[in-house]
Amino acid sequence: VGRAAEVKRAVELSGDETLHLVYGVGGVGKSELVFRIVEELRKDPRWIEARALLVDARPGMTAEHLVASLGAVAGARGSRNKLASSGSSTLEDDLALAARALERAPALGFIDNLHHLDPIAAGNVLGYLSRRVRGSRLFAASQVELVLPADSPPPIIYRLGPLDRSDTAALVEQLASRLDQPPPDPGGVYDRTG
């Protein structure tokens, strides 16, 4: 429900831009927006075969853990060999592996809840990927805005506010129907949340 303008904008701009950043307070619909964007992009012949990837950042997660998770879901090759031969792997090594995996096969990747990472480290990871990945699209959702390194290509940014009154009413009706409950007053819901 709602966010049609944001979905349309994302689909239009995904042809050339790798990184899309979605900002907003908790519960405003950042994740749902990205899921809808990916769904729409997969209708495009260019992205119909693209893998949909999800990495969910968790409290206490480090950039190294995030990148290892992204590399794993992207099908990165080489990190186990590197660990076996030298005993360690650097963040830069793992970023390079993840970037190569994202280039090898088109993907629509989503890193959710990025506000759980150190914002500088998160910005550096996204900056690295935005400079090296052209064959996939990356979406990141965060409750806090992230600063990318100066040499990063400018990302597409979406700042989500509350739904408008009519979209709030449609969402209230939809949720009440799904829950088999009488809907609350949509105006009251909007007044409390909008």
Side-chain angles (χ1 to χ4, degrees), residues 18-137:
T18 298
L19 182 61
H20 296 248
L21 303 177
V22 183
Y23 298 124
V25 299
V28 78
K30 299 176 297 295
S31 301
E32 183 63 28
L33 173 65
V34 174
F35 294 144
R36 286 184 50 207
I37 291 168
V38 169
E39 183 179 339
E40 287 301 310
L41 285 174
R42 298 217 42 213
K43 295 175 184 176
D44 182 320
R46 177 175 179 189
W47 300 109
I48 200 162
E49 297 292 326
R51 301 163 298 146
L53 310 176
L54 173 64
V55 175
D56 190 21
R58 298 284 181 194
M61 188 180 254
T62 64
E64 290 81 4
H65 187 193
L66 178 86
V67 171
S69 297
L70 179 61
V73 298
R77 300 180 198 140
S79 57
R80 287 190 186 144
N81 294 340
K82 204 173 265 288
L83 283 169
S85 64
S86 67
S88 67
S89 168
T90 67
L91 177 60
E92 183 94 9
D93 292 337
D94 288 344
L95 274 166
L97 290 170
R100 280 196 296 275
L102 290 165
E103 278 299 289
R104 191 170 39 252
L108 299 169
F110 178 28
I111 303 172
D112 200 4
N113 296 310
L114 206 46
H115 51 273
H116 289 303
L117 260 68
D118 171 78
I120 294 171
N124 288 335
V125 166
L126 294 176
Y128 182 99
L129 293 171
S130 70
R131 289 189 304 274
R132 288 167 178 81
V133 175
R134 302 308 308 157
S136 291
R137 295 298 172 261

